[in-house]
C-alpha cells in the first residue's frame, strides 16, 4: 500500500495538513519521529511483542455457521478483533503510538474519545508504559458512557469533559488539538482513527495494517484462496483501513466500507460522510465531511457512538473516488437487528459499530451464493453497548 | 487602492504619528447582528488602524472558549459569510479602517475560492487571515488573492523554527502576525513578552514589514508592551469578554471603555522613547 505524497495527500486531493501554525512543527516533528521508528526494526520488534503478549494477537478468524440463516449463502468469516485486550481494534494503534511517544521522549499523552473505546485503549498503554494520560471527551458522551469513564480513571487517566459545540467526539477532538497547541513540546497526541492532519492517517493505518496482514494469511491458509469480499464498518475508518491494507493490492478482492446511515442516508440524522457528505476540511485534512452549504460541520447521528462522526479518513475518500473500494450504509434499525442476531446465532455480542459491517456482509453473503467467501472485520465486542441496547429494546 | 495597499497605508500612518497600531477583533454577528454593527462603529470611531472581523465557525481549532462561544451565538442567529461581508462593507461605507476577515478555510472552500476573493473585493475587505492554512497549503488562496491585491497575513507561533519564521515573515502580506504564546486565542493566559522581544528582533533584522502581536493581549499594559516591542497589538477575546452578557448600547459602552484604554496604551508615554524597556 502506498504512502501519501510528501504533503500527506492520497491521490490528488485528499489529506494534507490544515492546522494552525502552532501545530505545524509538532506534526513535522512527529513525522520525523515516525519515519525514524518505521525504519528501525527494533521498533517493530517491540510493537510485535507487545501485540502478542499484551494485546493477545494474532486474533483468530471464525467461520460463522448460522448468521446468514441459509445454506445458500457464501462462507462468512469473522476477523475477531473483539478478542483483543480492551475489546476492540483500537489498541493496535495506541500500542504503536504509545511506543512512539516514549521513543520521542514525550512526557504526557493526550487523546480524544467518543464512546470511550479509544480513551480506554490509550489509558491502557499509558498505564503500561508509565506515561500520564489526559483524555478529552464530550460532556454528552461522558454521561452516556459512564462505565468507560470509570475504566479510564481506574487505569490512571484523567478525563476532561468538553462542553463546547455538540459536546460529542467532534468537539472532544477540537479540544485535544487545542490542548496540544498549548503543550506541543512535552505532549504526544494519540489520535484514534485514520483522520487528522498528515502524518496521522498514514501512521494509524500502518499500526492497524496488522489486521489485514494477519487476516489475508489466515484466510489463505484455511481456504486456499483469497476472499471474494472484505467488509468493515467506517466511522473515521481505522478498522476498515487496517483490514483493507492487507487486500488492496489484490485486484480480485472487493472492498466494502459500511457507514452508519442513522435514520437514513437522506435524513438529517445520519453519520455517513462518504455517502451523504461533500468535500471539505475537518480536523486537519481534506476529505468528505457532513456539512452545510456554508461549510459548517453538521450534527450527526448514529446508534453507534463510534461511527457518529461527521468526517472520514482521507484515504477512504481516495479509495472511494478511485473506485477501489465501495462505500455503502446500514441504518440504526438493521444494525440493531444484527446485534441481536449475532448474539443469538453465533454466541458473540458484537459492538454496534461492527454490527453495521456484519449486517451488510450478511446481505452480501446471500447475494454471492455458496461460491463466495466474505470476510468481515468484527472490530469490537459489544459489552459497552448492552445498556444502550437494553434501553432501546424497552421502547 | 488594493487591500494590501490599504493595510500598508494604515501602518505607515501609525508610524508617521509615532505610535503603535491597534487591531481589534470582533466575531461577526455576535452578540446579535445589530449590536455587531454597533461594535464595529465603536472600533472605527476609536481610531482602530485595522479591524479583524471573524466569520463565525463552529469548529475553530485556533480559538479558545471566548471566541468559540461568540461564534456559536452568531451562528445560532444565522450569521454566515455573506452577512459577515455585509458588515465589512458597512465599515468601508462609514469611512472606517481596512477590514481583514479572519476565517477558517472550510467556509472559503464551500463558497468557492475565486468567488470568495471576488466577494472580498466587492465588500472592500483588505484580505483574510486563514489560521488553519499553513504556507504549504496556501497555493490556491494565493493564486486567487494576489491578482486582486488582497492580503494574506501569516501567523508565526512560538513553536515555529527560526528559519521557517523568516520565510513566513517574508511571504506575509501587510504585516506579520506573531502569536504571543503557545495555545489558542483567549485572554486568560499571559503573553510571553521575553519570547516576543527575541522573535521580533530576529524578524526585523531580516524582513522590513510591520509586526503585530496577538493572542492573550487583554489589557492596556499588554498592548503597551506589544507596541513597544513591535508595531501593532491585536485584541480579540478581551473585547468579547468585556461585552459578555450584554447587547446594544450597553455592549457598545463596555467596548468603548476598553478601546479607550488600548488607545492610550498605543501612544508613547511623554517621558519614554519608542524603544525604551518599560518593566511593569
Amino acid at each position: 500500500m502506498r504512502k501519501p505524497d510528501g504533503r500527506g495527500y492520497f491521490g490528488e486531493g485528499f489529506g494534507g495538513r490544515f492546522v494552525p501554525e502552532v501545530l505545524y512543527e509538532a506534526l513535522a516533528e512527529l513525522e520525523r519521529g515516525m519515519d525514524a521508528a518505521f525504519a528501525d526494526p527494533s521498533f517493530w520488534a517491540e510493537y510485535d511483542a507487545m501485540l502478542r503478549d499484551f494485546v493477545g494477537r494474532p486474533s483468530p478468524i471464525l467461520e460463522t455457521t448460522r448468521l446468514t440463516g441459509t445454506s445458500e449463502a457464501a462462507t462468512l468469516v469473522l476477523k475477531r478483533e473483539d478478542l483483543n485486550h480492551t475489546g476492540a481494534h483500537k489498541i493496535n494503534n495506541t500500542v504503536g503510538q504509545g511506543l512512539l511517544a516514549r521513543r520521542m521522549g514525550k512526557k504526557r499523552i493526550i487523546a480524544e474519545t467518543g464512546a470511550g473505546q479509544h480513551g480506554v485503549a490509550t489509558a491502557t498503554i499509558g498505564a503500561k508504559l508509565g506515561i500520564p494520560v489526559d483524555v478529552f471527551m464530550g460532556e454528552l458522551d461522558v454521561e452516556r458512557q459512564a462505565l468507560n469513564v470509570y475504566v479510564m480513571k481506574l487505569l490512571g487517566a484523567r478525563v476532561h469533559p468538553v462542553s463546547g459545540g455538540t459536546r460529542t467526539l467532534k468537539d472532544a477532538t477540537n479540544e485535544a488539538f487545542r490542548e496540544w497547541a498549548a503543550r506541543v513540546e512535552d505532549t504526544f497526541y494519540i489520535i484514534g482513527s485514520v483522520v487528522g492532519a498528515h502524518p496521522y492517517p498514514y501512521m494509524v493505518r500502518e499500526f492497524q495494517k496488522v489486521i489485514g496482514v494477519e487476516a489475508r494469511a489466515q484466510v489463505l491458509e484455511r481456504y486456499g484462496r483469497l476472499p471474494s469480499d472484505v467488509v468493515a464498518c467506517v466511522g473515521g475508518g481505522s478498522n476498515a483501513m487496517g483490514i483493507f491494507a492487507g487486500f488492496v493490492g489484490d485486484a480480485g478482492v472487493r472492498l466494502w466500507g459500511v457507514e452508519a446511515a442513522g435514520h437514513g442516508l437522506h435524513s438529517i440524522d445520519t453519520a455517513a460522510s462518504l455517502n451523504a457528505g461533500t468535500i471539505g476540511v475537518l480536523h486537519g485534512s481534506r476529505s468528505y465531511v457532513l456539512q452545510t452549504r456554508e461549510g459548517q460541520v453538521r450534527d450527526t447521528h448514529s446508534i453507534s457512538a463510534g461511527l457518529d462522526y461527521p468526517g472520514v479518513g482521507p484515504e477512504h475518500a481516495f479509495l472511494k473516488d478511485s473506485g477501489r473500494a465501495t462505500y455503502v450504509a446500514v441504518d440504526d434499525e438493521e444494525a440493531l437487528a444484527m446485534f441481536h442476531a449475532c448474539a443469538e446465532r453465533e454466541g458473540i455480542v458484537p459492538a454496534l459499530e461492527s454490527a453495521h459491517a456484519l449486517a451488510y456482509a450478511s446481505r452480501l453473503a446471500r447475494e454471492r451464493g455458496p461460491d463466495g467467501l466474505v470476510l468481515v472485520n468484527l472490530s469490537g465486542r459489544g459489552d459497552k453497548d448492552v445498556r444502550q441496547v437494553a434501553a432501546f429494546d424497552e421502547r | 487602492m488594493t487591500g494590501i495597499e490599504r493595510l500598508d497605508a494604515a501602518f505607515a500612518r501609525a508610524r508617521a504619528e509615532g505610535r503603535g497600531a491597534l487591531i481589534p477583533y470582533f466575531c461577526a454577528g455576535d452578540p446579535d447582528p445589530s449590536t455587531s454593527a454597533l461594535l464595529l462603529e465603536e472600533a472605527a470611531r476609536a481610531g482602530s488602524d485595522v479591524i479583524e472581523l471573524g466569520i463565525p465557525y463552529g469548529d475553530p481549532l485556533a480559538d479558545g472558549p471566548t471566541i468559540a462561544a461568540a461564534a456559536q451565538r452568531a451562528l445560532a442567529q444565522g450569521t454566515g459569510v455573506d452577512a459577515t461581508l455585509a458588515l465589512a462593507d458597512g465599515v468601508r461605507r462609514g469611512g472606517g479602517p481596512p477590514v481583514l476577515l479572519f476565517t477558517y478555510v472550510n467556509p472559503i472552500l464551500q463558497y468557492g475560492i475565486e468567488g470568495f476573493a471576488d466577494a472580498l473585493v466587492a465588500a472592500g475587505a483588505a484580505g483574510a487571515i486563514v489560521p488553519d492554512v499553513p504556507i504549504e497549503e496556501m497555493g490556491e488562496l494565493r493564486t486567487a488573492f494576489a491578482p486582486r491585491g488582497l492580503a494574506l497575513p501569516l501567523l508565526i507561533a512560538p513553536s515555529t523554527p527560526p528559519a521557517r519564521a523568516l520565510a513566513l515573515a517574508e511571504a506575509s502580506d501587510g504585516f506579520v502576525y506573531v502569536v504571543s504564546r503557545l495555545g489558542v486565542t483567549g485572554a486568560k493566559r499571559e503573553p510571553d513578552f521575553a519570547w516576543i522581544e527575541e522573535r521580533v528582533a530576529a524578524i526585523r533584522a531580516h524582513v522590513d514589514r510591520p509586526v503585530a502581536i496577538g493572542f492573550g493581549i487583554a489589557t492596556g499594559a499588554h498592548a503597551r508592551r506589544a507596541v513597544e516591542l513591535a508595531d501593532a497589538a491585536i485584541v480579540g477575546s478581551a473585547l468579547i469578554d468585556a461585552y459578555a452578557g450584554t447587547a446594544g448600547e450597553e455592549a457598545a459602552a463596555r467596548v468603548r471603555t476598553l478601546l479607550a484604554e488600548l488607545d492610550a496604551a498605543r501612544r508613547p508615554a511623554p517621558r519614554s522613547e519608542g524603544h525604551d524597556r518599560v518593566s511593569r
Side-chain angles (χ1 to χ4, degrees):
Chain A
M1 234 181 166
R2 288 188 310 174
K3 255 187 104 160
D5 73 13
R7 285 165 57 217
Y9 280 92
F10 298 92
E12 287 300 304
F14 298 113
R17 190 176 275 171
F18 292 89
V19 290
E21 174 63 23
V22 63
L23 291 176
Y24 196 87
E25 177 56 23
L27 288 160
E29 182 196 357
L30 172 61
E31 188 179 4
R32 290 190 297 270
M34 175 195 76
D35 284 341
F38 281 10
D40 179 356
S42 73
F43 176 80
W44 289 115
E46 193 170 8
Y47 169 79
D48 289 343
M50 193 86 125
L51 289 190
R52 184 189 63 222
D53 303 337
F54 189 59
V55 177
R57 301 204 74 93
S59 66
I61 57 171
L62 173 75
E63 188 173 314
T64 60
T65 46
R66 302 176 58 223
L67 193 65
T68 59
T70 165
S71 57
E72 299 303 305
T75 304
L76 181 59
V77 177
L78 309 177
K79 175 63 173 166
R80 299 291 309 276
E81 291 301 299
D82 61 313
L83 293 177
N84 291 338
H85 183 39
T86 73
H89 70 290
K90 292 287 184 188
I91 196 154
N92 303 327
N93 171 48
T94 61
V95 164
Q97 290 199 53
L99 290 173
L100 184 54
R102 189 181 65 183
R103 183 187 163 103
M104 290 174 68
K106 299 296 179 182
K107 302 290 177 231
R108 173 176 174 252
I109 286 170
I110 58 172
E112 84 293 340
T113 197
Q117 293 302 100
H118 175 60
V120 168
T122 304
T124 298
I125 193 65
K128 182 69 181 156
L129 298 177
I131 304 175
V133 172
D134 288 277
V135 178
F136 295 85
M137 188 169 184
E139 256 178 6
L140 203 60
D141 291 331
V142 169
E143 289 166 21
R144 292 192 291 198
Q145 305 287 341
L147 184 67
N148 270 342
V149 172
Y150 186 65
V151 173
M152 285 184 260
K153 288 177 180 169
L154 279 179
L155 291 161
R158 290 195 300 181
V159 179
H160 304 268
V162 175
S163 59
T166 55
R167 303 185 293 143
T168 58
L169 176 58
K170 165 179 82 75
D171 307 285
T173 308
N174 290 340
E175 208 53 35
F177 270 112
R178 290 176 185 133
E179 175 65 18
W180 200 25
R183 296 266 305 258
V184 278
E185 278 144 25
D186 70 344
T187 297
F188 191 104
Y189 178 18
I190 298 189
I191 288 187
S193 191
V194 287
V195 300
H198 179 61
Y200 281 107
Y202 164 68
M203 177 170 70
V204 175
R205 180 247 279 174
E206 289 302 293
F207 287 136
Q208 292 292 1
K209 194 165 75 176
V210 61
I211 304 171
V213 170
E214 280 178 10
R216 188 177 187 278
Q218 289 166 326
V219 168
L220 273 178
E221 194 197 346
R222 188 165 311 170
Y223 298 97
R225 59 178 170 130
L226 288 170
S228 53
D229 304 86
V230 174
V231 185
C233 64
V234 177
S238 68
N239 90 79
M241 274 323 304
I243 196 160
F244 287 179
F247 298 94
V248 84
D250 300 313
V253 179
R254 291 205 66 176
L255 307 177
W256 302 90
V258 184
E259 294 194 302
H263 294 160
L265 275 186
H266 302 292
S267 77
I268 194 84
D269 293 325
T270 182
S273 318
L274 290 161
N275 280 284
T278 51
I279 293 169
V281 167
L282 175 64
H283 296 146
S285 59
R286 193 195 291 241
S287 183
Y288 283 85
V289 180
L290 287 165
Q291 58 183 326
T292 66
R293 282 207 307 216
E294 285 232 316
Q296 302 292 339
V297 180
R298 267 168 51 185
D299 291 356
T300 53
H301 165 80
S302 165
I303 191 172
S304 140
L307 303 182
D308 197 358
Y309 179 69
V312 64
E315 195 168 9
H316 284 297
F318 167 68
L319 291 175
K320 170 191 158 84
D321 279 19
S322 68
R324 179 64 191 92
T326 307
Y327 293 87
V328 295
V330 160
D331 66 16
D332 286 354
E333 206 180 327
E334 191 181 352
L336 195 60
M338 176 51 75
F339 180 91
H340 285 290
C342 187
E344 289 163 18
R345 298 194 203 146
E346 297 293 337
I348 296 171
V349 178
L352 277 171
E353 291 78 8
S354 317
H356 287 73
L358 286 170
Y360 192 78
S362 175
R363 267 200 254 164
L364 202 57
R366 285 191 296 268
E367 274 172 36
R368 286 283 178 268
D371 293 340
L373 177 57
V374 177
L375 173 68
V376 56
N377 198 17
L378 181 56
S379 56
R381 67 176 185 231
D383 307 41
K384 68 184 176 59
D385 298 316
V386 166
R387 270 184 58 189
Q388 192 194 351
V389 170
F392 206 90
D393 288 345
E394 274 171 27
R395 268 181 238 158
Chain B
M1 278 205 285
T2 67
I4 292 175
E5 287 165 351
R6 294 183 69 204
L7 288 178
D8 290 346
F11 279 95
R13 199 180 111 213
R15 201 174 311 123
E17 292 176 3
R19 59 175 177 80
L22 174 61
I23 308 180
Y25 165 98
F26 293 94
C27 174
D30 183 60
D32 60 67
S34 64
T35 304
S36 186
L38 274 183
L39 299 181
L40 294 174
E41 282 169 28
E42 285 298 334
R45 202 172 302 134
S48 301
D49 297 281
V50 177
I51 294 174
E52 247 189 69
L53 184 60
I55 297 178
Y57 188 58
D59 294 87
L61 278 191
D63 286 304
T66 297
I67 292 178
Q72 291 291 351
R73 288 190 294 266
L75 286 170
Q77 296 172 83
T79 299
V81 176
D82 288 329
T84 303
L85 290 169
L87 284 167
D89 197 36
V91 174
R92 190 221 352 214
R93 285 168 195 276
V99 174
L100 261 180
L101 277 297
F102 181 99
T103 177
Y104 290 85
V105 69
N106 202 43
I108 301 179
L109 294 177
Q110 305 316 313
Y111 204 93
I113 293 176
E114 292 282 326
F116 183 74
D118 282 338
L120 288 196
V121 172
I129 294 169
V130 191
D132 56 345
V133 177
I135 191 167
E136 287 78 2
E137 301 284 0
M138 204 155 257
E140 282 179 81
L141 282 175
R142 277 188 184 290
T143 304
F145 275 39
R148 293 171 172 88
L150 293 168
L152 273 170
L154 300 178
L155 285 82
I156 292 173
S159 51
T160 306
R164 179 177 170 86
L166 292 183
L168 296 180
E170 197 71 67
S172 194
D173 302 316
F175 61 93
V176 184
Y177 191 141
V178 170
V179 177
S180 78
R181 49 159 174 71
L182 290 174
V184 293
T185 60
K188 277 200 180 145
R189 295 179 54 233
E190 291 280 314
D192 180 353
F193 285 112
W195 177 81
I196 293 168
E197 181 167 18
E198 195 181 305
R199 185 53 68 97
V200 172
I203 291 169
R204 282 188 168 159
H206 292 90
V207 182
D208 181 23
R209 192 151 290 151
V211 177
I213 311 297
F215 285 38
I217 306 295
T219 64
H222 288 154
R224 180 173 296 115
R225 194 79 183 106
V227 301
E228 281 166 5
L229 299 174
D231 301 284
I234 302 175
V235 181
S237 297
L239 285 163
I240 297 172
D241 289 340
Y243 70 72
T246 68
E249 273 308 322
E250 171 68 17
R254 290 181 180 209
V255 161
R256 194 179 310 139
T257 304
L258 179 52
L259 286 171
E261 181 186 334
L262 297 169
D263 176 50
R266 69 179 156 163
R267 299 171 192 283
R271 58 185 171 73
S272 110
E273 296 295 318
H275 288 285
D276 252 1
R277 301 269 191 83
V278 181
S279 55
R280 298 170 57 93

